[in-house]
Amino acid sequence: DAGVIQSPRHEVTEMGQEVTLRCKPISGHNSLFWYRQTMMRGLELLIYFNNNVPIDDSGMPEDRFSAKMPNASFSTLKIQPSEPRDSAVYFCASSRDRLLAKNIQYFGAGTRLSVL
Amino acid sequence: TQLLEQSPQFLSIQEGENLTVYCNSSSVFSSLQWYRQEPGEGPVLLVTVVTGGEVKKLKRLTFQFGDARKDSSLHITAAQPGDTGLYLCAGINTGTASKLTFGTGTRLQVTL
């Protein structure tokens, strides 16, 4: 299996521009998660989907952030307009099982976003 | 918001030394996971502990879940340079199913 695939790996943009991050989960996994990692705040859950439906978006920082999962094999995280404080590494993860003890999340390699 | 505090934040040791990383919370978790993250990569799951007092071993790594299920520790025996990385604990709660709460992280560097 190819694992969770994220694109792009690196993104440099200017403040005010729209940024779209992409994720392809592992085939057969029904839960997908978007995280943000910074030195100051560590790894934070932004939103997660189960069977393509957003379940918990309480971690989305503000209205500038939006996420979609149009089908089981693709998700996007969009920031519009982007700000310098959005600079971070954004991770996508997927899991097959929602059961507590069996919740194994597989992470992609991340997208490093720099907003100038 | 539940917090998982890890200590120490940074640890630099020489090959062959032993070390322990701690993960503490004021909240009870139904289970707890440990991940290792290498530069430029996402976290990779090492272990899941479910029962209070549970001890799991993975080669030179020993994981323990506290009796009250509020804390956990990771002990590495005879550290090697390949153990270098960011170690993250993550708690799972009964009411939040798939949602993981990650700890603040411990960055370990093992030198020759």
Side-chain angles (χ1 to χ4, degrees), chain A residues 29-102:
Chain A
H29 284 193
N30 55 22
S31 292
L32 182 140
F33 309 81
W34 281 102
Y35 291 89
R36 177 173 66 177
Q37 187 174 40
T38 61
M39 287 294 291
M40 292 296 293
R41 300 174 67 88
L43 195 60
E44 305 172 282
L45 177 67
L46 300 177
I47 184 171
Y48 81 90
F49 295 83
N50 185 250
N51 292 324
N52 311 337
V53 176
I55 302 300
D56 185 342
D57 65 353
S58 59
M60 296 286 263
E62 48 195 276
D63 291 345
R64 297 184 298 106
F65 286 69
S66 62
K68 293 183 180 179
M69 192 165 186
N71 57 63
S73 59
F74 183 67
S75 177
T76 59
L77 176 67
K78 186 177 292 187
I79 308 173
Q80 165 64 19
S82 59
E83 297 182 3
R85 61 192 167 119
D86 301 331
S87 298
V89 181
Y90 290 81
F91 287 101
C92 176
S94 71
S95 69
R96 184 199 310 274
D97 203 314
R98 290 189 68 194
L99 294 180
L100 296 172
K102 297 181 182 179

Side-chain angles (χ1 to χ4, degrees), chain A residues 9 31 33 35 37 39 43 45 48 56 58 91 98 100-101 103-105 107-109, chain B residues 30 33 35 37 40-43 45 48 50 86 92-94 96-100 102:
Chain A
R9 287 296 311 271
S31 292
F33 309 81
Y35 291 89
Q37 187 174 40
M39 287 294 291
L43 195 60
L45 177 67
Y48 81 90
D56 185 342
S58 59
F91 287 101
R98 290 189 68 194
L100 296 172
N103 181 357
I104 300 175
Q105 295 189 15
F107 284 76
Chain B
S30 57
Q33 297 179 331
Y35 290 78
Q37 183 179 12
E41 301 294 333
L45 179 67
T48 301
V50 179
L86 177 67
I92 301 171
N93 250 337
T94 306
T96 55
S98 299
K99 192 170 179 176
L100 291 176
F102 277 88

